[in-house]
Amino acid sequence: MITCFIRYEIDPFKKEAFAEYARNWGQAIPRNGADLIGYFGPHEGSATTAYGVYNIESLAAYEAYRARLAADPLGRENYEFSRRERFILKEDRIFLKSVSAPHAKLVLP
C-alpha cells in the first residue's frame, strides 16, 4: 500500500471553490478505486496551502485508477471545473509508504 499526498497551492480568494472541488473528489475518488483519507484546506497559517491524501495498492493500481477517474463523469466535470475557475495555482504529487506501523493505541489523558 502506498499513500499519495497532493500538495496544492490555491488562490486564497477562491478557497470555497477548492472546497467544492474537494467535496466532488470525496465522491469520485472512492468509487474509482482509491481509499480517500481526505482533502484539507487552509484553516490557520497559510491561506494558500491545501492537501489531498489517499491510499492506493501500487503505482500500477494508481495508473488504472487515474484512467477510471478520467472517464468518470464527475471526475471529468471536476477537472474541467478546476481549469475553468483557476483556483489551483500549483499541484505536486508524492507517493510515500508508511514505515511507522504498527502504531500503539491512542491513550487519552
Side-chain angles (χ1 to χ4, degrees), residues 56-105:
I56 193 107
E57 192 61 35
S58 65
L59 288 176
Y62 169 75
E63 293 301 328
Y65 152 79
R66 291 284 293 191
R68 287 189 302 273
L69 197 61
D72 181 270
L74 181 55
R76 284 193 317 268
E77 182 180 310
N78 216 27
Y79 285 127
E80 180 54 37
F81 173 57
S82 70
R83 280 190 284 271
R84 183 178 64 249
E85 298 299 320
R86 298 185 176 272
F87 49 86
I88 297 173
L89 307 176
K90 185 177 177 185
E91 179 179 331
D92 295 309
R93 264 181 193 74
I94 187 169
F95 295 88
L96 303 172
K97 65 180 180 175
S98 177
V99 295
S100 62
H103 300 151
K105 292 192 183 267

Side-chain angles (χ1 to χ4, degrees), residues 30-68:
R31 77 168 172 238
N32 283 283
D35 175 23
L36 181 63
I37 295 168
Y39 270 74
F40 303 87
H43 176 69
E44 187 65 34
S46 173
T48 61
T49 302
Y51 291 91
V53 184
Y54 60 88
N55 293 315
I56 193 107
E57 192 61 35
S58 65
L59 288 176
Y62 169 75
E63 293 301 328
Y65 152 79
R66 291 284 293 191
R68 287 189 302 273

